[in-house]
Amino acid sequence: MLDALKVVTIVVVGVMVGVEFSVAFVINRILKALPDDSCLSGRAHGGRMLGAVMPFWYIGSLVLAAVWAIAGWHHHGAGLVVIAGALLILSVIMSLLLLVPINKRGKTWTPENRPADWKEQANRWDRFHYVRVADLIAAFALLAAALV
């Protein structure tokens, strides 16, 4: 049963990392290459779509890591899982304090109602997101290392 939990946790966290990596290094770069109105509309739509799913994914990943840490406490790699869990907590805190407030504003923007500093806000979100992606990659790597 513990082995199944490990696999599910690795897959859930790994796919989440892949999505967030793709947002940072593929999707947002594509959107930035589009005209301003298209970029703004794409970011707003992405914010609405992913903003609806990601809270469950982040919390679910954290819960899976916590259950793994508890269930495997006396097994090899438990310390790595605990550290990965701490990094997942950090990603949730970063999201709530830094990224979600910008995303809540951004997902309502249209070419008609966008603020004058929308690009600066989008760039700030991107910078915070890069840090969050690095945090998630580290958490994922620790979970993978805990299997060895």
Side-chain angles (χ1 to χ4, degrees):
M1 188 64 148
L2 182 59
D3 288 338
L5 174 64
K6 291 176 182 181
V7 169
V8 168
T9 304
I10 292 282
V11 169
V12 169
V13 173
V15 173
M16 181 177 69
V17 169
V19 167
E20 294 292 35
F21 184 91
S22 176
V23 166
F25 297 104
V26 178
I27 294 171
N28 282 350
R29 290 180 185 209
I30 291 169
L31 292 174
K32 283 182 180 182
L34 298 173
D36 283 351
D37 288 353
S38 297
C39 175
L40 178 75
S41 297
R43 288 184 74 106
H45 180 67
R48 288 188 299 274
M49 188 178 75
L50 291 172
V53 174
M54 296 316 272
F56 300 102
W57 212 341
Y58 273 77
I59 298 302
S61 296
L62 177 56
V63 168
L64 286 167
V67 172
W68 177 357
I70 293 166
W73 186 250
H74 297 291
H75 292 83
H76 173 76
L80 296 175
V81 177
V82 170
I83 296 168
L87 290 174
L88 291 172
I89 290 170
L90 177 62
S91 73
V92 170
I93 292 169
M94 285 180 58
S95 296
L96 293 173
L97 296 179
L98 303 172
L99 291 117
V100 168
I102 298 169
N103 193 56
K104 279 186 177 182
R105 291 188 302 269
K107 69 184 182 179
T108 65
W109 294 339
T110 66
E112 294 78 30
N113 74 356
R114 67 180 171 214
D117 69 339
W118 77 271
K119 285 185 182 179
E120 290 80 15
Q121 291 188 56
N123 288 334
R124 188 176 323 118
W125 187 94
D126 289 346
R127 287 189 305 273
F128 291 145
H129 185 64
Y130 292 141
V131 174
R132 180 172 63 177
V133 169
D135 174 75
L136 291 171
I137 290 170
F140 178 66
L142 288 169
L143 292 171
L147 294 175
V148 180

